[in-house]
Amino acid sequence: MTARIAVVYYSATGSVHALARALADAAAAAGANVRLRRAAELAPDDSIDENPLWRRHTDATASIPEAAIDDLAWADAFAFGTPTRFGAPAAQLKQFLDQAGGLWREGGLADKPVTAFTSAYHRHGGSEATILSLSNVFYHWGALIVPPGFTDPTVHAAGGNPYGTSAVTGPTGEGPDDAALDAAAYQGRRLVAITDRLLAGRDSTADAPRDGGTPATRAA
């Protein structure tokens, strides 16, 4: 079974978008069916226009579909990306997550692998806190959190964040460096590998007899 991965992110000036693209491309190269989706923008145009980088990125990514709850229902696993906002997710991504209550009540989010990534202006700008804050949502969902951990050299090379890839943008706004993009790509491959293993396990037990019965007698 081909793993279906939903990569949902919010990005103002493009740093998180670059991480999301690197993760999504690597997941697709690993054999997954990937949907790359952006959270809807909530800021008014006059606020966006005050920052040329924000306006440029908003216009450049207008063709990327906005995330919908149907994308979460479709997916076998999720990757969520957000810039850090005072150590918490951006309102745009949080607003999207807050709409998932109905799917959560139906059990449509439970037992699905999930991972997260972020960017911040400073090295200590709240990246770990932002990912941990997102994890609180995933605990409520009953999702299976898949961090990169210290499982690959790319994690160390990108600054050593075991919670999830985190890029440092700094004053230039040039976006993630190659090390951060490599770490995001690894995180995408790892998410696919874990998801594939879970799906294979479910397939292998789907027709297994239980309580001494056979698949045919259970169906009857």
Side-chain angles (χ1 to χ4, degrees), residues 59-142:
D59 293 344
T61 57
S63 61
I64 295 177
E66 287 189 358
I69 298 303
D70 284 347
D71 295 316
L72 302 184
W74 166 86
D76 298 308
F78 320 115
F80 292 103
T82 176
T84 180
R85 295 289 186 262
F86 305 105
Q92 289 86 345
L93 181 66
K94 186 58 166 61
Q95 192 261 1
F96 171 73
L97 296 175
D98 286 345
Q99 297 178 55
L103 186 60
W104 165 70
R105 284 189 294 271
E106 296 169 359
L109 299 169
D111 303 329
K112 293 184 177 183
V114 60
T115 199
F117 54 97
T118 186
S119 73
Y121 187 89
H122 297 102
R123 173 67 63 188
H124 300 288
S127 294
E128 293 180 0
T130 296
I131 293 175
L132 291 172
S133 179
L134 279 173
S135 294
N136 290 331
V137 176
F138 308 149
Y139 295 141
H140 282 259
W141 286 2

